[in-house]
Amino acid sequence: MNANVTERGYRPCVGVMLVNADGKVFVGRRIDNKEGDWWQMPQGGVDPGEDLTAAVMRELHEETGVTSDKAKIIKQLDEPLRYDLPEELIGKLWGGQYRGQEQDWFLLRFSGSDDDIDLDAHDPAEFCEYRWVDPDDLPDLIVPFKKRVYRTVVEGFRDLI
């Protein structure tokens, strides 16, 4: 990794494992990913000075349309998780400021129905479609450079899913 990359920090971020009554996890297919059939859980940056729980609920609503009365925070992982972007993406995302993300992950219980999901709740939308999947399938659905993070999230929340 070149010196320019190592000088970059990590983008503060939250991640949401939204679990329904059947123990399935929400994943969306990103609109902007044309290179693969990758699915991910909702996630996004934390605004300066923003409380992590406020960021979780904001990101959840922006990406899924789910409101706070339909999702309850169950647990936060004890430690944030980091990942580095692949070389070819460094300098191209997030204004070129970051080498990767540092994510605080939260498990949320979804009490609504599919009628409560609106992928167009925020303009621009991030997902073009969604589905509910078994937690153990998550690492196989995400882009390769995030697989370790997804395995850690699944293990960290397994007993509560």
Side-chain angles (χ1 to χ4, degrees):
M1 209 173 279
N2 66 45
N4 189 30
V5 170
T6 57
E7 291 171 8
R8 298 174 204 261
Y10 289 89
R11 179 178 180 241
C13 182
V14 291
V16 180
M17 178 184 262
L18 183 67
V19 179
N20 67 16
D22 296 326
K24 302 291 185 185
V25 179
F26 176 99
V27 291
R29 191 162 65 84
R30 290 187 58 92
I31 287 175
D32 62 0
N33 190 334
K34 311 284 189 242
E35 298 174 15
D37 186 28
W38 308 118
W39 297 74
Q40 72 177 42
M41 293 181 279
Q43 64 168 55
V46 177
D47 295 333
E50 186 177 27
D51 176 78
L52 290 178
T53 58
V56 165
M57 299 315 290
R58 177 183 52 76
E59 284 294 333
L60 178 67
H61 184 259
E62 287 178 2
E63 296 187 12
T64 69
V66 173
T67 55
S68 60
D69 62 322
K70 302 290 183 188
K72 178 183 175 193
I73 294 175
I74 303 300
K75 184 179 180 184
Q76 177 182 356
L77 284 183
D78 294 334
E79 299 289 329
L81 303 176
R82 285 184 175 177
Y83 70 84
D84 289 330
L85 291 169
E87 269 309 309
E88 66 271 14
L89 293 179
I90 293 175
K92 295 183 175 143
L93 300 178
W94 314 305
Q97 296 180 60
Y98 305 104
R99 66 188 286 185
Q101 293 196 99
E102 180 173 273
Q103 301 176 316
D104 282 282
W105 279 92
F106 291 78
L107 173 67
L108 279 74
R109 182 77 58 206
F110 180 57
S111 61
S113 70
D114 283 359
D115 292 338
D116 296 308
I117 295 173
D118 177 8
L119 300 182
D120 295 316
H122 186 262
D123 187 20
E126 294 202 28
F127 297 133
C128 54
E129 60 184 302
Y130 75 93
R131 64 187 190 192
W132 296 94
V133 301
D134 186 88
D136 289 326
D137 293 339
L138 289 167
D140 295 328
L141 299 173
I142 190 66
V143 292
F145 60 91
K146 294 183 185 178
K147 286 183 184 300
R148 179 189 54 79
V149 168
Y150 272 39
R151 283 191 293 270
T152 304
V153 170
V154 170
E155 288 310 310
F157 293 142
R158 182 173 302 284
D159 293 343
L160 298 171
I161 295 172

